Amino acid sequence: MQVFAIVISLLLLTYVAYRGYSVIVFAPICAVLATLLSGGHLLPTYTQVFLVKGLAFATSYFPVFLLGAIFGKVMETGGLAVAIADWIMHKLGAKATLVGIVLSTGILGYGGVSVFVIGFAVYPLGAALFKEADIPKRLLPGTLALGLFTFAMTCFPGTPQIQNIIPTKYFGTDSFAAPVLGTVAGLIIMVVGLLYLQMRVKSAKAKGEGYGEGHINEPDELASDHKHVNPALAALPLIAVLVLNYVMTKAIKNWDPEMVSKFKGITLAGVAPIWALIVSLVVGVIIAIIVGWKNIKTEKNLQAAINGGAAGSLLAIMNTSSEVGYGSVVSSLPGFAVVSNFLMGIFPSNPLVSEAITINVLAGVTGSASGGMSIALEAMGAHYLQAGVAAGISPEVLHKIASLSSGGFDSLPHNGAVITLLAICGLTHKQSYRDIGVISVLIPFATTFVLIILMSLFS
């Protein structure tokens, strides 16, 4: 019955998330249901576990969500995101449409721009190039997903996306952990994803299928009232975030440790990833405002961009915090001991396998890469670290496998970003999810396990 209680609550949370209901409302409901079915005390569990753990996550990562969202909105309002994407895609031309779209979305994501902002910014350009090249529009969401949901989000070293920041708390690492492993993983996913998309395009053209007619949400025109921004200048905020993040991460660890000595359990190495990203994003926002001012134009527009980013960040962090609170409740229940023992018993000699499977499953259940990874690492991160050290696996590798694994099953059909991407493109799951699934679920999942196997064979 104890395990049954967890399964029922997980299924309910998955169902309501897929149906589009807010997890801010239903995560505590599902947590309370699991507690009730397990014979626990409802109110103490809600106030002392769900709220405490969920708010602890928000406390740790709120600046990253807030500044990242503001950075993205300023890049959008200033016309910088569109300038970069437009330059890349038109430099490569219609014959390299797929590569251009993937590079555009990937570079913006690697520079710290929110995936939602990127989707809205790149979609009109992508749709125009797909139409020009007469490529079926149904393949556009999968092409966007390759740049949005994979290598830029979880693989390449130093990416400021939250999926690469969360593991630092549990493994004592920084955002540049296991750079070679991350780079290899990113290149594999990018190359295999592009080969798959090219195969799909070739197959469609062989059947005589083109862009198609009667699509909804077609971009009216690519022109806007934005003044042209030099692409090199538009890229400055992205470059600043990446470079400053690296420099600050290394520098903070060498600061005087006395500055944090009065804060219990805090070390400079532990706070370096968050502090470095805070400083980097603040500088990135300032540079983006300066470079994009001729499009922002007025204080009112700047105010709207900052307020819009702030509002969006609140929804994002509350969603994830609610999922973390739910996971903390589940992990406190008696039945979870059975589940965790089972998961940790999978290939006990290699904790990377258990870690990868656990994070993928929980990310799939919650429909959230950051939420699923946080749940898994909060419950079992200490075990993975201890088992990894005993097996001769570095914390950096544990970090990178955790990050890679969060970007697998998270992109199942009920994922909020998937639903939003399809809405932006004016397409349905039936039309386009097959390609999204292959690109952002199967290829990352397979890549993660291929790398684990190779590391096991040659270590």
Side-chain angles (χ1 to χ4, degrees), residues 38 45-46 63 70-71 145 164 176 185 221 224-225 242 280 343 360 374 379 381 392 416 421 428:
S38 298
T45 299
Y46 175 66
I70 292 174
F71 179 61
N164 187 46
F176 293 86
E221 55 183 57
S224 72
D225 60 353
L242 288 171
S280 302
L343 292 172
N360 264 291
S374 295
L421 176 60
T428 65

Side-chain angles (χ1 to χ4, degrees), residues 133-204:
D134 202 28
I135 298 172
K137 189 184 180 185
R138 61 184 174 82
L139 301 179
L140 180 56
T143 306
L144 291 168
L146 180 55
L148 290 174
F149 303 152
T150 61
F151 58 88
M153 184 178 83
T154 63
C155 299
F156 288 152
T159 175
Q161 300 294 342
I162 192 67
Q163 293 81 4
N164 187 46
I165 303 301
I166 290 174
T168 64
K169 173 183 176 182
Y170 301 94
F171 300 127
T173 51
D174 59 46
S175 60
F176 293 86
V180 175
L181 176 61
T183 301
V184 170
L187 291 175
I188 290 173
I189 292 172
M190 186 192 304
V191 170
V192 174
L194 281 169
L195 289 174
Y196 168 80
L197 289 169
Q198 289 169 351
M199 178 192 72
R200 294 282 287 154
V201 170
K202 184 177 180 181
S203 174

